Amino acid sequence: MSAPLLEVEELRVAFGDTAAVRGASFTVARGETHCVVGESGCGKSVSALAVMGLLARGGRRAAGRLAFDGQDLLALPERAMARLRGDRVAMIFQEPMTSLNPAYTVGSQMAEVFTRHRGGSRRAALDRAAGLLAKVGITAPGMRLGQFPHQLSGGLRQRVMIAMALMCDPELLIADEPTTALDVTVQAQILRLLAELQRELGLAILLITHDLGIVARVAHKVSVMYAGEVVESGPTPALFAAPSHPYTRGLLGCVPVPGKVRRDEALGSIPGVVPRIRPGFQGCGFRDRCAHAAPACEGAVPRQQAAGGHAYLCRLPPGWAEAERAA
Amino acid sequence: MTAPDDRGAEGPGGLDRPRRDTTPAIEVRELRKTFRIRGGLLGQDRQVVAVDDVSFAVPTGGVLGVVGESGCGKSTLARLILGLLPPTSGDVLVEGQRLSAMDRRARARLIQPVFQDPFASLNPRRRIRDIVAMPLVAQGGIPARQVRDRVQEMLARVGLTAEQGERFPAQLSGGQRQRVAIARALVLRPRIVICDEPTSALDVSVQAQILNLLAELRRELNLTYLFISHNLAVVEHVASEVAVMYLGRIVERAEADALFRAPRHPYTRALLASVLTPEPGLGVPDVGLGDTLPDPANIPPGCRFHPRCPVAEPRCARQAPRPVDGAECLLLEAEQRPAA
């Protein structure tokens, strides 16, 4: 893996008096899947939208660096950004029904993406669309092109979204909770499809999810977000082998895993609720819910290297969790 | 079927009438529900079989987990048991009494729902304390003071403060709203709670809080749950027995431990294989279900699962399986009776 295709450094986003993203940094390389994981309101979706220049009105974006294939996105005029979106960078969202236009057929929506960015005839675009529908595992693609979104099941719609995202051979695919609205069986199929496409096309994938199970199974790298910050990040095996931020550990404890917790025992849980962070907030955003909180957590928090080769944002020293368990 | 649980005899909710301990809390007999879908101008009306000949019993204090994909009929089953929908045929018995013979208020005292979406199921224009009081008020004849006390007690029990009781639903988080829904469900001290995807709209950390709360309340109040979820890991954690639904039928039913340790029906196996546990390196499994999706308006002949079944044989398209030890699969019948 060469230089990263997408570089995000010290990304900040604020809406009014709420700081949604507070200095998030991550990179995605070609052929690599980077998962950003966290719960509602942690800033994971807003980060992706900010990268794409798609923040809702009133959102303010700032960053140390924001680059795609070496090109500075912060300096890029909106018109050039619009050329990038849907072309070299494509996006798919959680609920395909809201991102597909109900009034147009699948074929016309897919063809429009292609003719807008690449020109050429509608006929050629439709041929390409049919080919991509077949590639994402849709049988009878010719018939599907003539159908409207409401005539498709949720799984089919998400496949259509993926096929549409591939129309212009993107280099980066940003997928925001792409399988959350789907049944588990269909989720597995869609995730396998994304992995196959990545192997075949060398796609860089930025996958946003709340599901640590998905992260463990598909991510090469992972960034755990909480209250607008990346609190822990690194290669997936290293992070799962030695999760070091109290939030990451808490979150892992909350996930029911067959056979892990006995029926009469309580699942791990994190007390309290996600705080609303105002600009100028100092210290650790997790301290109000953290069993290890100390006065020091109100000051600057160090980013430390954990034993397995990944970083976490906490005052506790590397290996604290293992030491605690041994004690 | 599990042995009936006799802890219920002194349970705080069972004061009103004497009850034999062997009576299941919920019993469903040959339950069937069909819907008619209008075919439009030229199309023909189509019949959707949402629940097809379902029978089971849940002992007092038990938790029956019901799992299956969207459209399998699990939510229709919940609505039938709550009496929100009349069955096309068959019976629902709650504590030995026919649901259809009970009036609404009696039903509300016995059985209550907790639904998936605490945003949609709470009236946005009422204060939390009034929402929780509603079932008591609807019963009629309970003094206002008693209503107030019972509401406070219930709010405290689910982890909400009196101050939060003064707020409106929009001022609470998703988890707090689900606590409100639970308080409302329990304020009449029912015996049975039907939980339909109670944590699916919540974040994992909040889901864990709510699951723990539901488990505590069940033990404390000796409640019986029907727990519907698409998340098998959640069901594994809460259920004593599990029913797997496919296109309106229960295709496998077993003790939770047995089902998760040794699933028998190919569909149960596929569902279990689809669960993505947070274990890196395992990748995403190929569950082998193919691209055909189940359509409740167009149920395949023979075994209804055969078009997606990775181990289907030609006879599966012709012959409907009978239940053998709680699982409906022709291949399992063959295992059971090799000399037939």
Side-chain angles (χ1 to χ4, degrees), chain B:
Chain B
M1 206 59 247
T2 37
D5 185 338
D6 59 7
R7 281 174 301 170
E10 310 299 324
L15 306 171
D16 302 347
R17 76 204 129 260
R19 211 169 38 73
R20 282 186 309 141
D21 291 330
T22 48
T23 310
I26 309 170
E27 190 177 356
V28 160
R29 292 183 188 158
E30 292 164 13
L31 200 60
R32 193 177 157 84
K33 180 70 187 176
T34 59
F35 295 101
R36 200 158 273 293
I37 294 186
R38 295 288 295 274
L41 246 147
L42 296 170
Q44 285 198 322
D45 281 11
R46 298 192 306 165
Q47 183 171 263
V48 173
V49 184
V51 172
D52 190 3
D53 192 15
V54 164
S55 302
F56 60 79
V58 189
T60 299
V63 181
L64 177 68
V66 179
V67 297
E69 292 165 289
S70 32
C72 73
K74 54 192 194 297
S75 288
T76 303
L77 179 65
R79 278 160 201 281
L80 291 168
I81 295 174
L82 283 161
L84 297 175
L85 279 175
T88 307
S89 62
D91 270 321
V92 177
L93 283 80
V94 176
E95 307 236 300
Q97 304 172 67
R98 291 171 76 141
L99 196 68
S100 52
M102 270 184 244
D103 74 16
R104 268 179 61 186
R105 279 181 285 192
R107 211 158 62 202
R109 287 195 297 271
L110 269 180
I111 185 163
Q112 283 282 334
V114 174
F115 291 113
Q116 172 175 358
D117 190 348
F119 299 78
S121 60
L122 303 181
N123 186 336
R125 303 180 62 178
R126 290 191 152 261
R127 289 183 195 280
I128 299 305
R129 59 171 157 76
D130 296 330
I131 291 173
V132 175
M134 189 58 94
L136 290 167
V137 175
Q139 286 291 322
I142 305 174
R145 186 190 189 91
Q146 206 180 320
V147 169
R148 208 163 50 232
D149 290 350
R150 194 88 84 82
V151 168
Q152 289 309 340
E153 179 196 326
M154 214 51 242
L155 285 175
R157 187 60 202 81
V158 300
L160 294 170
T161 62
E163 189 265 327
Q164 283 166 328
E166 297 302 313
R167 298 201 207 161
F168 292 93
Q171 295 168 294
L172 301 184
S173 70
Q176 287 165 340
R177 270 185 270 216
Q178 203 56 300
R179 287 175 195 269
V180 173
I182 293 169
R184 177 177 61 182
L186 296 183
V187 77
L188 283 176
R189 298 175 183 158
R191 309 279 306 139
I192 298 157
V193 181
I194 308 293
C195 306
D196 189 357
E197 303 269 11
T199 61
S200 305
L202 306 176
D203 275 317
V204 263
S205 68
V206 183
Q207 163 172 288
Q209 294 173 6
I210 297 295
L211 291 177
N212 289 343
L213 174 65
L214 284 169
E216 275 171 43
L217 290 167
R218 185 184 64 79
R219 279 194 296 271
E220 224 170 86
L221 307 174
N222 196 33
L223 295 166
T224 304
Y225 289 162
L226 186 81
F227 194 101
I228 295 177
S229 178
H230 70 282
N231 187 331
L232 273 119
V234 167
V235 167
E236 195 264 354
H237 184 67
V238 301
S240 46
E241 204 186 0
V242 179
V244 180
M245 280 188 85
Y246 190 79
L247 282 178
R249 281 188 80 84
I250 292 178
V251 296
E252 181 165 4
R253 194 175 95 222
E255 296 282 316
D257 291 332
L259 187 115
F260 283 89
R261 199 180 52 243
R264 299 170 64 225
H265 196 284
Y267 179 61
T268 312
R269 283 191 223 141
L271 272 185
L272 275 178
S274 314
V275 176
L276 301 179
T277 50
E279 299 167 276
L282 294 184
V284 181
D286 180 3
V287 291
L289 289 185
D291 296 327
T292 329
L293 286 165
D295 175 5
N298 198 359
I299 291 179
C303 169
R304 58 195 63 204
F305 181 58
H306 84 264
R308 295 175 80 197
C309 183
V311 293
E313 295 176 357
R315 63 186 167 127
C316 299
R318 298 187 304 266
Q319 194 183 342
R322 283 168 304 174
V324 175
D325 291 343
E328 286 191 351
C329 174
L330 287 171
L331 305 183
L332 294 172
E333 284 180 38
E335 273 172 32
Q336 295 283 320
R337 281 186 293 266

Side-chain angles (χ1 to χ4, degrees), chain A residues 107 110-112 114-115 118-132 145 167:
Chain A
M110 291 184 71
E112 191 200 339
F114 192 74
T115 50
R118 298 291 161 86
S121 74
R122 189 179 148 82
R123 187 66 253 163
L126 283 173
D127 283 347
R128 181 173 172 75
L132 284 168
L145 286 177
M167 279 301 278

Side-chain angles (χ1 to χ4, degrees), chain A residues 39-40 183 185 189 192 217 270, chain B residues 69-70 203 205 209 283 290:
Chain A
E39 298 180 282
S40 342
D183 279 313
T185 52
Q189 290 174 335
R192 286 179 66 85
R217 303 305 189 93
I270 304 173
Chain B
E69 292 165 289
S70 32
D203 275 317
S205 68
Q209 294 173 6

